[in-house]
Amino acid sequence: MADFKKSVVYQIYPKSFYDSNGDGLGDLRGVIEKLDYIKELGVDYIWMTPFFVSPQKDNGYDVEDYYNIDPRYGTMEDVEELSREAEKRGIRLMFDMVFNHTSDRNQWFQKALAGDPKYKDFYIFKKGPKPGVPPTNWESKFGGNAWEYVEKFDEYYLHLFDVSQPDLNWDNPEVRKEVQNVIKFWMGKGIKGFRFDVVNLISKDKFENDYEGDGRRFYTDGPNIHKYLRELNEATFGTDAEIITVGEMSSTTMENCYQYANEDGKELSMVFSFHHLKVDFMGNEKWVIVPFDFQKLKKILFDWQVNMGKHHAWNAVFWCNHDQPRVVSRFGNVEKYWKESAKMLGTVIHCLRGTPYIYQGEELGMTNAGFTDISQYKDVESLNHFRILQEKGLTEENAYQILQIHSRDNSRTPMQWNSGENGGFTTGEPWIEVNKNCSYINAEAELQDEDSIFHYYQKLIALRKEYDVIAYGELKPLDEKNPSVFAYEREYQGEKMLVICNFYGKEVTWDSETELGEYQCVLSNYEVHNIEGSRIGLKPYEAVVLYKK
């Protein structure tokens, strides 16, 4: 049985990881060439974002063919070799499955547009209430109405994402059967992990206008979602105890996640939830500039930690992925305490109850891109919002400031391997610019520096494997209202661990309820600690992990 509680997952965005053939795009052979680096870090799984055949309107999350590899990434032979080589190093592969929608170039949708009734029922086509009016006022996640008119049928199809990403109709059993076939195919190739993209949107509820919001309450965590996940589990990955699964849950509720990720194992191994990454939004509005709300961040993380624990459900814990800005730019201090704050942020996540996910370059402290011209941006969401923000009356300068903070391209700049040209990512012209700071933030430099962020992440991963209290312990929040300290206790079978992190760049004293002298320090981002009795003096962004048996 795969012990996902002791495991750590490393996320690769193949397009930006390593380019083996000089065409400017990362590829599967590039991942094979860097497996020793990933093994040295110490992770157990590699989750790769989609590299299936795709027109790439949404960076591969618009799948044209679930059974074949997009030639720009490589071949099926490359996937098979990657799987074999990873396994030799004790690493397993987790594939990213996009089943809420397909690309409009998928043969199912092409047949639907040609009028084939079988395939038309694979998607959600509806008539509008009157000519020129879509079936509902729901908004697409990428902006604009979520329905697209097809003149031939005088009907609209639903696309919760880009217009080129029509939603599948999961209420059709034939769709569910096709999805099962895809998973079985990849299981046959030895794949031992699956990440399901926005999977809690697959069961739609009522198709009616939303006068309170953007429509999400009618399609999120829908009426048949648990039924469909159980059916999928029983028919596919649930038949292999070695396979781990994670669901990306969009705007979900905790109550639903108790079921999605319950240890009864009937649905998924664990869930991604994103509430903690909206603490620098204004409500649900991301395209604004507001300081992050530290109290809210703590409250959300602690609520999920404690309640998921009580209900025997499991979290995936993370700061970064291909859709999020770089965490050290977001909650850390890149200018003055880059190294300290990157290590502190890693400590907060890796000692929580849940399986930690590291996004490529996070272990190096990679930062936001700092782009200053719209030509540097590639992401469809960013390009749309650059226009939308100006239509709302913002200046170009303000629109740039917001993009610099929130654009998904911040995480998609190429992995920084060395200080050479293009950060060692490619010998060609990179598909998106490499961050200028690759001159000093890069893998080669950090592997040689004992005090690097990379080596600190290595220690965090080793700590989870060594101490059962991290993998299996309960979590108790400490001093929740403290304006600058993020602290919690882990406890398991007589073992205790205290995790104390200063989230800010000013020194602060923290008072514990227990005598700290009884604990030993097992990890910290500073050499020397100021501990007296039950009191600890924390330096800027200091993180301390204390243990006693």
Side-chain angles (χ1 to χ4, degrees), residues 478-502:
L478 300 174
D479 197 7
E480 291 172 75
K481 295 281 188 279
N482 192 302
S484 31
V485 176
F486 196 118
Y488 53 89
E489 179 182 79
R490 305 294 313 277
E491 188 168 4
Y492 180 71
Q493 295 182 356
E495 294 181 76
K496 277 193 175 180
M497 188 168 265
L498 292 180
V499 181
I500 308 153
C501 296
N502 180 1

Side-chain angles (χ1 to χ4, degrees), residues 10 81 171 201 219 251 317 342 353 364-365 429 431 460 474:
Y10 187 81
E81 185 182 338
D171 295 332
L201 308 185
Y219 60 71
S251 304
V317 289
R353 178 184 180 278
L364 303 174
E429 180 71 29
W431 73 275
L460 283 168
E474 291 306 309

Side-chain angles (χ1 to χ4, degrees), residues 298-415:
K298 281 202 286 190
K299 183 170 172 20
I300 292 168
L301 280 173
F302 285 149
D303 279 355
W304 277 80
Q305 286 283 304
V306 170
N307 291 310
M308 289 287 276
K310 275 185 195 158
H311 290 86
H312 310 289
W314 198 248
N315 281 306
V317 289
F318 70 102
W319 288 128
C320 299
N321 63 31
H322 62 289
D323 284 334
Q324 299 292 335
R326 291 286 181 179
V327 71
V328 70
S329 295
R330 189 174 193 174
F331 301 143
N333 181 330
V334 173
E335 284 72 40
K336 200 170 169 197
Y337 296 107
W338 163 66
K339 204 183 255 194
E340 294 84 354
S341 61
K343 291 177 182 180
M344 180 278 292
L345 289 162
T347 311
V348 168
I349 285 294
H350 281 254
C351 297
L352 289 174
R353 178 184 180 278
T355 299
Y357 283 64
I358 298 169
Y359 178 67
Q360 63 183 47
E362 183 184 343
E363 77 283 7
L364 303 174
M366 278 177 61
T367 69
N368 280 354
F371 290 157
T372 52
D373 192 272
I374 197 63
S375 64
Q376 295 170 287
Y377 287 93
K378 308 294 179 197
D379 174 37
V380 53
E381 185 192 38
S382 301
L383 298 172
N384 284 349
H385 278 90
F386 186 67
R387 188 192 73 246
I388 291 166
L389 287 167
Q390 290 177 81
E391 284 167 3
K392 284 182 177 170
L394 267 72
T395 63
E396 197 173 87
E397 188 186 357
N398 285 141
Y400 275 128
Q401 285 173 330
I402 292 172
L403 250 58
Q404 283 167 0
I405 292 170
H406 291 297
S407 170
R408 302 191 299 182
D409 281 334
N410 283 312
S411 57
R412 297 175 181 183
T413 59
M415 181 75 174

